[in-house]
């Protein structure tokens, strides 16, 4: 009597190495700006980062970190602001980060092909 071995599902093996599968899922949907920045950094080496980001853009994800970018109300934002009125230097930094986020989207080929992508002001 021989035992038949099931073929290994590559998707299952790949998912075990994805950061969003290894860490607490709440990290990608946190209210804390610091935790969202951590989630963004964990996405950096993910082999599915571009596909994840493209899917999130296509679905206009309402919130969370997808493909290394933060989504808020369906738009990519450079960083999540803490509560309260922003300082002047924070507004200037946000403008610089917005340009950086646009460049990352363009490098992924998403800003030119997807008209639904908008960056929050």
């Amino acid at each position: 009597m021989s035992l038949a071995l099931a073929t290994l599902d590559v998707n299952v093996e790949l998912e075990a190495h994805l950061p969003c599968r290894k860490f607490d899922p709440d990290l990608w949907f946190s209210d804390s700006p610091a935790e969202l920045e951590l989630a963004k950094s964990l996405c950096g080496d993910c082999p599915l980062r571009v596909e994840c980001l493209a899917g999130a853009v296509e679905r206009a994800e309402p919130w969370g970190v997808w493909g290394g970018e933060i989504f808020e109300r369906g738009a990519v934002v450079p960083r999540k602001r803490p509560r309260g009125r922003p300082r002047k230097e924070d507004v200037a930094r946000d403008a610089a980060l917005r340009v950086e986020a646009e460049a990352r989207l363009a490098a992924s080929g998403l800003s030119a092909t997807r008209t639904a992508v908008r960056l929050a002001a």
Side-chain angles (χ1 to χ4, degrees), residues 20-119:
C20 57
R21 301 290 196 249
K22 291 192 323 189
F23 296 94
D24 182 10
D26 291 338
L27 180 65
W28 276 260
F29 299 96
S30 176
D31 286 330
S32 165
E35 288 182 356
L36 290 177
E37 290 300 321
L38 173 60
K40 279 175 57 174
S41 70
L42 291 172
C43 290
D45 294 331
C46 180
L48 298 179
R49 186 184 64 76
V50 173
E51 292 86 351
C52 178
L53 179 59
V57 166
E58 190 173 300
R59 293 185 306 272
E61 281 294 337
W63 66 83
V65 174
W66 297 90
E69 299 293 340
I70 298 173
F71 282 76
E72 191 170 295
R73 287 174 267 178
V76 174
V77 294
R79 72 178 184 93
K80 182 167 177 82
R81 289 190 208 156
R83 288 189 149 149
R85 186 175 180 180
R87 296 178 168 176
K88 288 181 182 178
E89 58 267 12
D90 289 342
V91 173
R93 182 178 53 201
D94 284 350
L97 288 172
R98 191 173 307 109
V99 169
E100 184 181 321
E102 287 174 357
R104 285 194 306 265
L105 284 171
S108 297
L110 296 175
S111 63
T113 59
R114 307 245 192 268
T115 57
V117 175
R118 63 183 177 88
L119 296 172

